[in-house]
Structure formats: structure tokens, C-alpha cells
Amino acid sequence: MMHRDVDVAILGAGTAGLHALSEVRRETDDFVVVDGGTLGTMCARVGCMPSKVLLQVADDFHRRRVIEEEGIAGGEALTLDVGKAMEHVRALRDRFVSGVMENSINPLAGKLIRDHAEFLEPDLLGAGDQRIRASKVVIATGSTPTIPRPWQRFQDRILTTDTIFEQTELPEKMAVLGLGAVGLELGQALRRMGVDVIGFDALLRIGGIEDPEVNRLAVELVGRDLSMHLGATAEIEEDGRLLRVTANGESALVDKLLVSVGRTPNLERLALDRLGIDLDDRGMPPFDRETMQVADLPIFIAGDVDGDRAVLHEASHEGRVAGYNAVHEPPVRFRRRTRLGIAFCDPNICTVGETWDGLGDGNVAMGEAGFDSGRAIVMLREEGLIRVYADKCSGTLLGAALVAPRGEHLAHLLAWSIQRRMTVWDLLEMPFYHPVIEEILQGALTDLAGKLEVETDFPLGFASV
Ligand SMILES: Cc1cc2nc3c(=O)[nH]c(=O)nc-3n(C[C@H](O)[C@H](O)[C@H](O)COP(=O)(O)OP(=O)(O)OC[C@H]3O[C@@H](n4cnc5c(N)ncnc54)[C@H](O)[C@@H]3O)c2cc1C
């Protein structure tokens, strides 16, 4: 048995853990990182990056369907070599992973312990045959794809994001179970790559969209590629060598299931019950979202494992807060960033700031614009909707929902403006080039300005010097 005493132990060498490390390192060299899983970060190995490569391939191939209208012939003759496409996904994936390994993991050398960690006492950890006494601990153990118990008996025909990018060929018929961002992105991409995909979700919403009008249009637009059954839990049963998936009285026979119903925080192995604090019914400890401190213990938590905002930039933010507070007393409360969610399906589905449900019946005005204008027409992408919400009296932007070509960029502009507490008039004072997609945002803001309870003396978008 090997014993070590350290200032800080970081559990998990993913995005959150490595960002925590970047802050810890500034104050001490006396740390260890413990990780028993596959290294390279979930984002680079099986998350953000390989999924975006797959989407890029699918989008490029899909474009052949519209270019004929522009006079470019031969599009329909293009073919996709699925084996090569998947090799390409893995080649770029490997490049992203090796970047993480070279820059962040390999330099850890003797400070990296390759085992899963568990708490033996609040300041004593076990990892294989090692015992680590740590003054501070950062929990950054990530999450694992959830497979509901009744479906686990079909394990041999279930794909998840942990396995999909390893496929050398794709099934003929597949059901995607769960149409959040991941299910929509992968389901649509696989459909565009020739798989006969059918999507299911127990909710009537897709991609986490709460705004009913944006959701309605998103279902219509994404539904042109990806047939979807919404609003009923899917039942699965064997049917010969295939699986029958049924919901709402509709059923489909498929070879494989892609289960994308969410991810479960990796808490189970940590034995948090030994911390002497109350855990909720998911086994989650109480923690402060601004300090990332767990209860009043010298323990901090960050990333997917805390079950809140499971996206990459939040994992990095929380990791840095947790790392900073692990080496500074007392813990500092850091301001959270404006909420930003993007499903990279086509068109993008984005939510920014306050969501539709969170607006309540308060003093809120909403402005909107469609995409049948200017640059969107040029791109042959004139279908979309942006809805922007603001406080009716002050004009301060609160949130937005959109389904839009290049929506990812509009969503960023809105998130930055909301975080800076800008008003509709502040934004309308900004330059809008012509012809750009951003002009559609200008249209939605102009509509919104007309619905506010305040009149301005000057023409809209003008301020005196
Ligand atoms: C298909 C897919 C696409 C995605 N696309 C996007 C996107 O486009 N944009 C975006 O913002 N987000 C995206 N995400 C989400 C994003 O990837 C995650 O939010 C982020 O990677 C989480 O980082 P993390 O550090 O919390 O977890 P991880 O990177 O998973 O790190 C956790 C680490 O902890 C280790 N570990 C687990 N248990 C223990 C233990 N007991 N002891 C020690 N170590 C342990 C694991 O081995 C792992 O290395 C996507 C996710 C998926 C699945």
C-alpha cells in the first residue's frame, strides 16, 4: 500500500479536472490527478469533437440536394463511402485526443494515478493500492450515457455516444431514443449519411427548446430529414432478428438503437456517503454554484458530475472555479456565465439566457423575425425563427430561442449582450453589415423595440453624442 499526502487531489482528468489543475498549478506543485478511465477527455474522444466531424461530413454530403438549383449539376451522382467517412471521424478524433495527451496529460507523469478514486474519509482517498490524504479535493469525474433498465437486455444492439464513432459500417435501420441535442445531431447526421433513422422522445419538445413556436418550427424543419415520434415513451421488443420500437401506436423495425436519453453523473464509485453530509435521491451532494464548494467541506465539484449545465464551456468554467477555490481561502463566489445551449442539428436550435418557462407571466415583451430575407435567401436557407425576450419597461434583454441557419453565431451575440446587461436599444445602436444573417437579429430586435412600454425620442438605433 502506497501513501501520499498532498495539498490537492483532482479526481478526473477530463475538461473540468484539467481546468481545475490549471488554477491549482499556479499556487502549488503538491497535487495528484486520479483517473481510472480512458484518457483524452470525453469532449475529444466521444463528445463534442467527433460528433462535429460526423455532422460536417453529413452536411457536406447533404448539400448536393440543393446545388442543382444554383446550376451545379451532378450532385445526385455523389456517393458517400461510409467506411471512409467513419475513418475520417476517427482520424480527426485521434488528432484532438493526442493534442490533449501531449499538452495536458503526458506532462503529469508521476502526478497521475491511473485508478478510480473513492472517498475512505472526507480527506482520505483510495485509488487501487494507493492512499491519498488530501487537504482539498476536486471532484470532476464526468458522466456516463444513461441506458434505462428495461432496455438493457438489448445491450448487444444498443449504441451510445461511447460506441457510435467506433463503427466501421452503419446499420440499415436505426431508432434514436432521446431527441435532446445529442440525439438530434447524431440522428440527423446518420440519416443524411444514408441510415434509415427514426427518432423517439417522450417529450413534445426537441433539443431542449421550451419556446412553443420555435419548437414547432424546429420539429417541422428537422423532421424533413428525421422522422420523429414525440410525446410518448418508446417500448422495445424483439421481432425476429430485429427490434420493434413502438410509441403512440406507431412502430418501426430496426437493427440498432442509439440511446441518447441523457447522461448519469459518475458519483456511484466515489462513496460520497462517507463524507457525512446529506445526499439527494440521485446521490448528489449539496454544492454552491458560485464557489463549487460541496457543503462546507474542503471539497469542490465541477463538470458533468454535478448534473448542472452539462456542456463543455461550463465544465471548464466550473473546473477553474473549483481549482481556484481549492488553493485560496476563503472560497470566492464567481459570477456564472449567461446560459447558452446549442444543438448543432440543421438548422441549429439554440437557447440563450432566460428560457420560455422561466419568463413566467412577468413584465416581458417578445420580438421575432423569420429568415425569408437577404443573406438567408442567397444561401437557400430561408427557413428559421428567432424570438428575443426583454423586460417590457427597461428594455433589458433577458433571453432568446432560435431555430436558424448559423444560429450558433447569433446565439453567441445574444449571450454576450445579455451577460453585459444590454438593452434592445443598446444592441440596435450596433453596426449591422449588409447582407448578413445578423440583419435578421436586427429585425427581431426592431420588432421587440416596438413592443416595449418605453418610447424613445430619437430614431430607433440612434443615440446623441
Ligand atoms: C456526443 C456528445 C456531443 C457533445 N457535444 C458538445 C458540444 O458540441 N458542445 C458542448 O459544449 N458540449 C458538448 N458535449 C458535452 C461535453 O462534452 C461535456 O459537458 C464535457 O466534456 C464534460 O467534461 P467533464 O470534465 O465533466 O467530464 P469528462 O471529460 O468525461 O472527464 C471525467 C473524467 O473522470 C474520470 N473518472 C470517472 N470516474 C472516476 C473516478 N471514480 N475516479 C477517478 N476518475 C474518474 C473519467 O475517466 C474521465 O476521464 C457533448 C457530449 C456528448 C456525449
Side-chain angles (χ1 to χ4, degrees):
M1 190 71 62
M2 196 177 145
H3 287 263
R4 294 197 197 201
D5 273 25
V6 290
D7 286 346
V8 184
I10 297 173
L11 315 184
T15 299
L18 294 173
H19 278 81
L21 176 62
S22 69
E23 293 299 326
V24 168
R25 282 208 125 114
R26 287 150 64 106
E27 300 296 325
T28 178
D29 259 350
D30 190 19
F31 63 83
V32 286
V33 178
V34 188
D35 196 312
T38 315
L39 297 174
T41 74
M42 194 256 274
C43 163
R45 288 188 311 104
V46 291
C48 328
M49 302 318 291
S51 61
K52 299 308 143 331
V53 185
L54 194 78
L55 258 66
Q56 187 66 47
V57 172
D59 285 355
D60 288 346
F61 188 47
H62 181 74
R63 191 73 192 160
R64 77 194 185 287
R65 297 199 183 278
V66 293
I67 54 180
E68 203 171 335
E69 199 178 330
E70 298 171 322
I72 305 170
E76 282 308 324
L78 294 177
T79 58
L80 177 76
D81 181 331
V82 167
K84 278 197 180 156
M86 296 307 286
E87 259 173 46
H88 170 70
V89 170
R90 286 189 290 277
L92 291 197
R93 184 261 331 255
D94 291 348
R95 188 169 153 194
F96 292 119
V97 170
S98 63
V100 175
M101 295 306 289
E102 275 161 34
N103 297 328
S104 308
I105 306 276
N106 297 344
L108 289 173
K111 290 182 183 293
L112 176 65
I113 298 173
R114 294 290 288 126
D115 236 308
H116 281 92
E118 63 170 329
F119 282 91
L120 301 173
E121 296 166 21
D123 66 346
L124 182 66
L125 297 157
D129 62 356
Q130 308 221 22
R131 295 288 172 271
I132 306 142
R133 182 126 351 237
S135 307
K136 303 282 171 67
V137 180
V138 174
I139 301 173
T141 49
S143 59
T144 306
T146 307
I147 302 179
R149 198 172 293 278
W151 299 347
Q152 286 175 5
R153 64 198 165 103
F154 307 113
Q155 191 73 38
D156 59 329
R157 277 162 291 175
I158 288 180
L159 294 168
T160 66
T161 48
D162 279 355
T163 51
I164 187 80
F165 306 112
E166 287 305 320
Q167 304 303 303
T168 50
E169 50 191 45
L170 295 173
E172 213 172 293
K173 287 171 182 283
M174 173 187 270
V176 174
L177 303 166
L179 296 171
V182 169
L184 280 183
E185 289 178 12
L186 296 181
Q188 189 186 44
L190 293 169
R191 176 76 195 105
R192 289 181 170 190
M193 291 171 74
V195 183
D196 188 355
V197 182
I198 179 159
F200 293 87
D201 201 295
L203 300 178
L204 289 166
R205 294 168 174 174
I206 61 169
I209 279 281
E210 293 174 9
D211 185 307
E213 279 309 303
V214 175
N215 186 58
R216 191 195 52 70
L217 188 62
V219 170
E220 183 191 325
L221 297 180
V222 180
R224 288 187 191 159
D225 285 311
L226 181 63
S227 35
M228 293 184 255
H229 290 296
L230 302 175
T233 307
E235 307 283 339
I236 304 163
E237 58 190 354
E238 307 258 6
D239 191 325
R241 57 168 198 85
L242 300 176
L243 293 175
R244 179 174 294 281
V245 186
T246 309
N248 272 345
E250 302 271 351
S251 80
L253 282 172
V254 298
D255 305 294
K256 290 263 164 88
L257 309 169
L258 175 67
V259 179
S260 49
V261 293
R263 299 182 64 90
T264 307
N266 290 330
L267 290 165
E268 213 172 283
R269 285 173 184 245
L270 292 170
L272 297 186
D273 50 316
R274 295 180 185 148
L275 294 182
I277 51 171
D278 286 338
L279 306 175
D280 72 11
D281 48 12
R282 298 168 302 162
M284 186 70 68
F287 67 92
D288 184 312
R289 295 183 68 249
E290 285 158 352
T291 60
M292 303 318 293
Q293 184 174 13
V294 172
D296 56 355
L297 300 172
I299 298 176
F300 300 84
I301 190 165
D304 280 16
V305 67
D306 67 28
D308 182 38
R309 299 194 184 186
V311 288
L312 186 104
H313 67 281
E314 295 286 357
S316 336
H317 174 95
E318 292 176 0
R320 292 190 64 186
V321 171
Y324 183 93
N325 281 332
V327 288
H328 291 89
E329 302 258 11
V332 176
R333 314 188 76 83
F334 287 98
R335 194 162 60 207
R336 296 296 305 221
R337 287 158 211 245
T338 296
R339 185 189 284 270
L340 173 60
I342 302 174
F344 290 94
C345 51
D346 179 20
N348 299 162
I349 299 176
C350 313
T351 39
V352 188
E354 194 56 84
T355 61
W356 180 264
D357 293 353
L359 292 171
D361 304 326
N363 211 18
V364 177
M366 191 271 297
E368 62 182 20
F371 276 67
D372 52 345
S373 68
R375 190 62 178 276
I377 295 177
V378 171
M379 291 159 55
L380 302 176
R381 303 298 317 275
E382 58 184 284
E383 286 173 304
L385 175 66
I386 173 164
R387 305 232 291 178
V388 190
Y389 325 125
D391 182 272
K392 221 181 224 170
C393 302
S394 66
T396 307
L397 285 174
L398 300 173
L402 48 143
V403 52
R406 302 200 184 158
E408 57 178 296
H409 304 296
L410 298 179
H412 274 85
L413 292 182
L414 282 160
W416 297 349
S417 309
I418 292 170
Q419 190 160 316
R420 299 309 300 166
R421 300 193 173 87
M422 291 172 78
T423 64
V424 177
W425 305 291
D426 291 333
L427 255 174
L428 283 171
E429 254 184 67
M430 299 293 166
F432 287 85
Y433 210 84
H434 175 73
V436 292
I437 285 288
E438 285 73 5
E439 285 176 300
I440 292 161
L441 173 58
Q442 188 181 30
L445 292 167
T446 304
D447 181 44
L448 178 54
K451 293 174 178 167
L452 298 175
E453 280 176 357
V454 186
E455 297 272 319
T456 48
D457 295 337
F458 297 128
L460 198 55
F462 286 76
S464 59
V465 286

